[in-house]
Each structure stands twice: as structure tokens, then as C-alpha cells.
Amino acid sequence: MLILLRAGTPESAVADVTSRLRMLGLAVHRTDHENRVRIAAIGDGSPLDPDTLRQWPGVESVEKIPVPFKLVSRSFHPQNTVITVGRCAIGSDQLALMAGPCSVEGEEQVFRIAEAVARSGATVMRGGAFKPRTSPYSFQGLGEEGLKILRRAADAFGLAVVSEVMDTQQVALVARYADILQLGARNMQNFALLREVGHADQPVLLKRGLAATIEEWLMSAEHILSQGNSQVILCERGIRTFETYTRNTLDLNAIPVVKELSHLPVIVDPSHGTGIRNMVAPMARASIAAGADGLIIEVHHDPDHALSDGAQSLYPAQADAPGDGQHTIGYDQLVSQIRTIAAVLGRRI
Ligand code: PEP
Ligand code: MN
């Protein structure tokens, strides 16, 4: 139920409405918009009598929130959520540029890539220290040592850090080093993990599951918000379809859909979305044109020898790319193209 209080309702009356709702066994969440307090009162679905609620002092209107993802919805929270991380206000007119290797492999690799992506304009460094790998025989990540390297490199170049957390028991550890906790596609419906990061202080980057509908994805975000953490960044990273030419099918429809349904920022990962280096830049450009709030892109200086996802990693700079440079653009050139597209849309880097 969405309860709108009249403009100028004193805090004592707000507190009174809140405690009455709690006495009815409802969870109460508040947001303020255009001088009005908006309260989402969420229960187990048993019907409440809106006419009774309308009699309470301060109450202007009572309506149902017409979607199952109540706190994530624009009905509850009409204005865009803006999440400040380091130098970036994610969800504002500034685009969030996150970049770095798929996996943290070592000090030299991470410092080299951090320097390059920072110079190009990225504000957040990515890199996995705990890696969800299809094969148990593939590189599984450097763990805490990897997080330490990532933190040092990011600090050296003025970047924030995003890194994946795979397990409830890793949340405190990853939170010690990372500014944003990444929940990977394979864990989008790990409900224990969603609850755990719902209690964290850090923003959460929630990737869309490999075969998740938009509603399922938003419901996963709702789990996090319901625990008190409203700093969720949604990330479209491609879904499984019958198409085999690309690794996944990047669902750019999701951007305008999510923007309409939700106040949360949405970014795109065209690296996992395509799986092929030459496809990353076109889909990155398209994502920003479609209204995404940012990009997370895999970048590696020596992708042929990367321990994971080399085939979809961009070279840091156009000059690093082998061959005639016709098809492969470096991260630096992509960012300058993104800057131009952003300007057309009244946004910036
Ligand atoms: C990654 O970001 O390296 C990753 C494993 O992504 P996803 O969870 O989207 O597959
Ligand atoms: Mn990867």
C-alpha cells in the first residue's frame, strides 16, 4: 500500500502513522517527494482497508502499488535514485564508467590497466578476486590477495572499486576492500546472499541472471531494498537465447523498461553481453544511446594471455590493438565516442 501524507504533515503525525502501521504488522518504508512523505506499507498480502487508513491524521491518499517490486518501483519512489561512489554520481546526468580486467591476476597487470582506464575517463575499477567459473579447473581468482591489489591500484589512480562477492561468508571481506559489491548473474537469485548484501553499507551492483525475466531481476533488487539497502545499481549483461553466434543476447530493451518501472540506476555490461571484442564497442554505444546510466567493460593489456574472458576484453588503447585497427577499437577511443553520444543526450562523463 502507498500512503501519501499531506504536504506539511508534522513529523509527530508521520511517526504516529508509522507506528500504527507497524502495529498492524506491516513493514514501513519512507521516501520524501515534492514536499510530501510517501510511505510504503508492506505486509503479507492480507487486505488492508484503505478507507480506515484514509481517516488517519495527515493521510491524503491510499493506493495499491500495482507491481510486486514495491520499493524498487517508481510508484513508491518517483525520482531517480542517485548513488555516489568516489567521483561518480550513478543515476545522475553523469555516466558511470567502470572498467578493468575480468580477473585480478597480479599487481603489474592491475596497475597497468588501472592507469590506462583512469586516463581514458573511467571512475570505477572492476576486477574479480572471487570468480564464478563454469569449470572447477579454470582460474578461480586470487581471493583476498586480489582484493588488496585492486584496492591499492584503484587508490593510486583515484578510482573506486567494484568486485564480485559469491557467498554470504565473503560479504564482510569484500566490503573491506570494495566500494561496490557485485552480485554476479549466477547469483541473482541467491536469496541468502541478497539478504546479506541488503544489510551492507556499500552499494550493490546486481547483474541480471542468465535466464531471468526483468520482473525476476527487479524482485531480486527488492530483496536487497527490503533489508534496508536502497543503493542498488542494476546491470544488464545479456541473457541466454537460441542465438549462438554471440555469448549472450544483450537485451537493450531492458534499459527503457527498467527506467520506466524503477528509480534505480541501470548500467550495461557489453563484454559479457556479447562475448566478442569487436561487438563490445557497438553495443556500448547503443547502450548509452538507449539511456543506460553507465557501462562496465572488461579491459586487458594482453587479452591473449588473460586468465579469463580475454576474447571479450578491449585493449586499453587503440594503439595497443594489433592488426589494422579497423575492427578493434581500444577503450580510450570508445570513451571518446561515448562522450560525444552522451553530449547529444544532455549527459556527460
Ligand atoms: C564478471 O563480471 O566477470 C562476471 C562473471 O559476470 P557475470 O556474472 O555477468 O557473468
Ligand atoms: Mn568476465
Side-chain angles (χ1 to χ4, degrees):
M1 225 39 121
L2 176 66
I3 298 149
L4 218 69
L5 303 188
R6 274 187 256 288
T9 301
E11 279 302 321
S12 57
V14 179
D16 186 48
V17 170
T18 303
S19 67
R20 286 180 190 225
L21 291 166
R22 291 213 172 106
M23 274 176 6
L24 292 171
L26 300 164
V28 179
H29 298 262
R30 165 183 176 165
T31 186
D32 293 30
H33 179 66
E34 290 175 347
N35 288 325
R36 279 181 171 72
V37 173
R38 303 165 76 85
I39 293 175
I42 303 173
D44 57 8
S46 29
L48 270 181
D49 177 18
D51 286 336
T52 310
L53 269 58
R54 281 188 196 108
Q55 310 302 317
W56 294 358
V59 173
E60 182 174 278
S61 68
V62 179
E63 54 195 82
K64 238 176 109 68
I65 300 177
V67 285
F69 37 89
K70 311 288 178 192
L71 304 177
V72 161
S73 74
R74 275 205 193 270
S75 315
F76 168 55
H77 191 287
Q79 71 275 32
N80 287 340
T81 283
V82 176
I83 299 172
T84 305
V85 183
R87 292 182 286 121
C88 196
I90 307 167
S92 71
D93 60 354
Q94 180 191 16
L95 298 176
L97 295 186
M98 308 184 187
C102 178
S103 297
V104 174
E105 299 168 10
E107 182 112 17
E108 204 217 316
Q109 173 233 20
V110 174
F111 270 74
R112 198 166 160 164
I113 299 169
E115 181 180 18
V117 300
R119 200 182 324 115
S120 295
T123 51
V124 182
M125 176 79 179
R126 66 147 288 147
F130 294 102
K131 294 302 301 175
R133 303 306 300 277
T134 302
S135 166
Y137 311 118
S138 300
F139 178 60
Q140 305 290 310
L142 295 181
E144 185 170 6
E145 190 45 41
L147 292 170
K148 287 182 180 167
I149 295 172
L150 200 57
R151 184 74 262 171
R152 281 199 298 273
D155 287 345
F157 299 104
L159 300 166
V161 166
V162 58
S163 199
E164 178 159 357
V165 48
M166 285 171 47
D167 191 277
T168 51
Q169 285 165 13
Q170 290 165 357
V171 173
L173 175 67
V174 177
R176 211 172 301 143
Y177 299 99
D179 303 291
I180 304 174
L181 305 172
Q182 176 174 327
L183 256 61
R186 290 153 192 82
N187 266 321
M188 189 205 83
Q189 284 187 318
N190 179 338
F191 297 109
L193 186 54
L194 294 169
R195 291 181 83 82
E196 193 68 26
V197 298
H199 294 124
D201 293 327
Q202 277 88 351
V204 176
L205 180 81
L206 178 64
K207 289 200 161 192
R208 182 174 178 185
L210 302 162
T213 64
I214 292 172
E215 185 166 307
E216 287 163 343
W217 184 24
L218 297 179
M219 289 309 289
S220 289
E222 184 79 7
H223 272 271
I224 301 172
L225 269 70
S226 73
Q227 298 307 303
N229 188 352
S230 53
Q231 302 204 98
V232 174
I233 304 151
L234 298 163
C235 178
E236 164 60 44
R237 48 78 73 207
I239 48 173
R240 277 277 166 86
T241 67
F242 49 81
E243 179 54 61
T244 55
Y245 186 76
T246 44
R247 180 177 177 183
N248 290 294
T249 295
L250 189 64
D251 180 13
L252 293 186
N253 287 342
I255 301 165
V257 172
V258 165
K259 281 278 154 202
E260 187 171 307
L261 294 174
S262 176
H263 54 89
L264 296 174
V266 56
I267 70 163
V268 173
D269 174 351
S271 308
H272 294 87
T274 62
I276 302 168
R277 181 174 311 120
N278 291 346
M279 314 280 148
V280 171
M283 297 317 283
R285 294 188 296 255
S287 301
I288 297 306
D293 294 305
L295 295 163
I296 181 165
I297 291 183
E298 288 183 341
V299 174
H300 200 292
H301 63 284
D302 185 9
D304 287 348
H305 296 102
L307 296 181
S308 59
D309 287 348
Q312 66 193 31
S313 298
L314 290 187
Y315 287 89
Q318 182 86 22
D320 303 325
D324 59 11
Q326 293 269 306
H327 303 295
T328 302
I329 73 164
Y331 185 69
D332 59 347
Q333 198 191 1
L334 174 61
V335 173
S336 77
Q337 293 175 346
I338 295 297
R339 195 173 268 120
T340 306
I341 297 169
V344 172
L345 300 165
R347 304 191 81 171
R348 65 198 166 83
I349 284 172

